Amino acid sequence: MIVLETERLRLRTISVDDAAFYLELTNDPAWIKNIGDKGLRTVDEARESLLNGPIEMQQRLGFSLYAVERKEDHTALGLCGLIKRDSLEDVDMGYAFLPQFRGKGYAREAAAGVLKYGKDNLNLKRLAAITSPENSDSYLLLEELGFKLDKILVLKGETRQTKLYSYHF
């Protein structure tokens, strides 16, 4: 299901058919460094992770991480969407893109679309975002979009520091 479209991109609900793409993305060295190693090593493990993660969240809450595709050729570039983590009070925006699609403005375009979707379709009043303190590409994008740094903390169940940002609509 297509959730939203931007000038160049289409964001759609993720499905088990995206397991190979999800496996590639979650094993990208930048994902492992900045987000963490999900321990997914097979397409079957990726499929199971999708079912128990974004697909379940979409069914339960009506939002999740979405597959980001280029309109022109339907190539899956990355993920961008909304997550409700037990460790955060607010819904947060997350994104990750395959290396060959970074630096082309896709993350900014997708994230701006998700911000608008959160406000206009979900009536969110506040949105959070988290990033590794070392991930300057990510936190600079958040700041460019209008997110403000709230604090640096260690999330429940984690051992490393995380920057917590918020956006008020």
Side-chain angles (χ1 to χ4, degrees):
M1 175 182 88
I2 296 171
V3 176
L4 67 101
E5 293 190 26
T6 67
E7 183 182 340
R8 301 179 294 166
L9 306 172
R10 179 176 296 122
L11 280 73
R12 62 168 175 78
T13 52
I14 200 160
S15 78
V16 292
D17 295 336
D18 295 304
F21 156 73
Y22 189 64
L23 180 65
E24 180 183 3
L25 184 62
T26 59
N27 282 284
D28 172 57
W31 175 294
I32 291 169
K33 176 183 175 193
N34 295 310
I35 299 171
D37 189 350
K38 293 180 77 65
L40 305 177
R41 301 296 180 257
T42 68
V43 172
D44 286 340
E45 289 172 342
R47 188 176 295 112
E48 191 68 25
S49 181
L50 287 171
L51 282 168
N52 295 321
I55 294 171
E56 185 278 330
M57 185 174 291
Q58 182 68 37
Q59 292 170 345
R60 182 171 43 91
L61 300 176
F63 60 80
S64 65
L65 286 171
Y66 303 118
V68 179
E69 297 178 333
R70 234 182 350 222
K71 282 183 181 178
E72 68 185 49
D73 59 7
H74 303 284
T75 298
L77 312 177
L79 299 175
C80 186
L82 301 170
I83 307 160
K84 180 59 188 101
R85 301 173 203 268
D86 293 338
S87 58
L88 292 177
E89 181 180 335
D90 295 301
V91 171
D92 77 283
M93 181 171 62
Y95 47 84
F97 286 76
L98 290 169
Q100 62 269 36
F101 303 117
R102 295 183 199 134
K104 300 177 181 346
Y106 294 132
R108 187 188 192 297
E109 187 174 331
V114 167
L115 268 176
K116 183 174 178 1
Y117 179 81
K119 178 184 182 222
D120 296 348
N121 296 76
L122 301 175
N123 299 309
L124 296 175
K125 303 298 181 219
R126 178 179 146 108
L127 188 60
I130 57 174
T131 184
S132 159
E134 298 82 32
N135 190 351
S136 60
D137 289 341
S138 184
Y139 67 72
L140 290 173
L141 172 59
L142 291 172
E143 291 170 3
E144 184 180 318
L145 290 169
F147 281 82
K148 303 293 182 213
L149 179 63
D150 281 349
K151 59 186 165 182
I152 298 176
L153 71 154
V154 176
L155 295 172
K156 183 177 160 186
E158 298 280 331
T159 58
R160 61 185 183 173
Q161 291 187 324
T162 298
K163 283 186 161 186
L164 175 65
Y165 285 83
S166 65
Y167 185 98
H168 297 266
F169 294 101

